[in-house]
Amino acid sequence: MPPSRPDGNDVVPAGRGPGRRTVLGGLGLLVPATGMARTPAHPAAHAAVAHHATAHAAHPVLHAPAIVGRAAQPRPLIMLDPGHGGKDPGAIGVSGTYEKHVAEAAASELQRQLEASGRYRVAMTRADDRFIPLEGRVDIAHSHKAALFISMHADALVDRGVRGASVYTLAAKASDRQTAMLARTENSADRFGGPQVHADSPEVQEILASLVTEETRHGAAHMASSIVSSFRPRIGLLPHPARHASFVVLKSADIPSVLVEMGFMSNHMDEAALRQAAHRMVVAGAMVQAIDRYFATDSMVTHATG
């Protein structure tokens, strides 16, 4: 078994003022003189005036403040999901690098850049080396009321010559054979949780996929397109990089969700790149640009905050 952190691997998990008062006090009853006689004030009148003044002093008239502008919309929360973890190493690279470490390091860098922008709140399904079932990852996103769910991976394929990034959305049927195999591998991750933890059957997965709202599907497709556009100038991509399959971790009915393959650990060039912090910074920077583009769309902002 290769060490969890091979030598040379730099992956490190890790207005107005107050309302005006009207106060009436010290009132006297002024009665004009008539000839040489002065009409005495009636005691009852004095009592009424005094009561009126006291009432105003005790209950001053308060004016409602002016409404100036509107409260700022809350910053959307991005849920980042580093794939695998704990007893589930994920793919093991050609030089022994564990996918779980690459995924966590890349997600941590993306979290750093997103938070530095000041435009988002960020949460992670895991921030250390622990195992979390696939269903549990979706539940965490729901508990945080996430506006967007991004699962980050660097899997392996039988063909070691295949390299490049890609992004996946949920669908009952896979877009191609390679993606179908990838989804089966990802959906089998729960085997590490023991017999009490296992992903839904393919039939149940298809039913769950059908429950995803059209708005959520549109949001996920929009996010996938944004990622491809941001990756294209700086990160190598698979042919037809926007793909889909029945990934359990993407099954949220109301949170737009994507799974990002940053490259393949089965390819020595992809693995070597993902081991480097500088490359992971480029990946994260492209992801931030894609997320900015996603939330710049009015309908996406409404979905995320409303």
Side-chain angles (χ1 to χ4, degrees):
M1 186 71 178
S4 62
R5 300 172 186 271
D7 292 340
N9 184 351
D10 71 349
V11 175
V12 180
R16 292 190 180 180
R20 293 176 296 172
R21 294 174 178 265
T22 300
V23 181
L24 303 178
L27 295 180
L29 183 61
L30 301 181
V31 180
T34 304
M36 298 296 295
R38 184 181 299 273
T39 305
H42 194 281
H46 278 295
V49 172
H51 174 76
H52 183 71
T54 302
H56 274 273
H59 303 287
V61 178
L62 299 179
H63 298 281
I67 298 176
V68 179
R70 304 174 69 179
Q73 290 282 3
R75 291 174 298 158
L77 186 138
I78 314 299
M79 177 62 64
L80 302 181
D81 174 46
H84 309 281
K87 51 194 170 184
D88 173 14
I92 299 175
V94 291
S95 69
T97 309
Y98 282 14
E99 179 189 0
K100 65 177 183 177
H101 293 152
V102 167
E104 184 183 340
S108 295
E109 173 60 23
L110 178 53
Q111 178 185 32
R112 184 190 70 79
Q113 292 192 29
L114 286 170
E115 291 179 339
S117 76
R119 294 185 291 274
Y120 309 101
R121 294 171 295 141
V122 184
M124 302 256 282
T125 55
R126 68 177 183 89
D128 52 18
D129 190 11
R130 72 172 73 184
F131 173 79
I132 302 175
L134 299 175
E135 295 277 354
R137 296 168 187 265
V138 180
D139 291 342
I140 292 171
H142 279 280
S143 69
H144 281 77
K145 302 186 187 309
L148 185 64
F149 179 90
I150 301 174
S151 193
M152 302 184 70
H153 292 259
D155 281 291
L157 297 172
V158 175
D159 185 351
R160 295 191 173 189
V162 176
R163 65 173 306 211
S166 49
V167 58
Y168 301 82
T169 54
L170 181 69
K173 301 292 185 182
S175 55
D176 56 90
R177 174 183 285 185
Q178 180 178 293
T179 302
M181 294 175 61
L182 193 63
R184 281 197 295 271
T185 299
E186 281 302 319
N187 291 345
S188 68
D190 280 347
R191 71 187 184 277
F192 290 95
Q196 73 280 8
V197 177
H198 49 82
D200 297 316
S201 68
E203 294 77 17
V204 173
Q205 290 172 27
E206 288 189 21
I207 294 173
L208 291 171
S210 70
L211 297 176
V212 176
T213 67
E214 190 61 31
E215 182 183 19
T216 302
R217 289 182 187 279
H218 176 75
H222 178 59
M223 184 62 204
S225 176
S226 294
I227 293 172
V228 169
S229 296
S230 294
F231 275 11
R232 196 177 295 281
R234 48 192 125 172
I235 298 166
L237 291 166
L238 289 181
H240 310 294
R243 305 184 180 198
H244 54 264
S246 185
F247 291 91
V248 172
V249 78
L250 302 181
K251 72 167 199 172
S252 174
D254 53 7
I255 301 174
S257 304
V258 297
L259 185 150
V260 178
E261 289 287 355
M262 299 174 287
F264 291 99
M265 303 298 284
S266 47
N267 180 274
H268 74 279
M269 296 180 71
D270 274 358
E271 182 202 26
L274 289 167
R275 287 166 57 100
Q276 303 303 315
H279 179 75
R280 296 193 301 271
M281 288 179 67
V282 172
V283 171
M287 291 289 297
V288 171
Q289 184 183 71
I291 292 168
D292 285 344
R293 185 183 295 115
Y294 173 84
F295 283 105
T297 305
D298 289 340
S299 62
M300 294 303 100
V301 173
T302 300
H303 176 80
T305 61

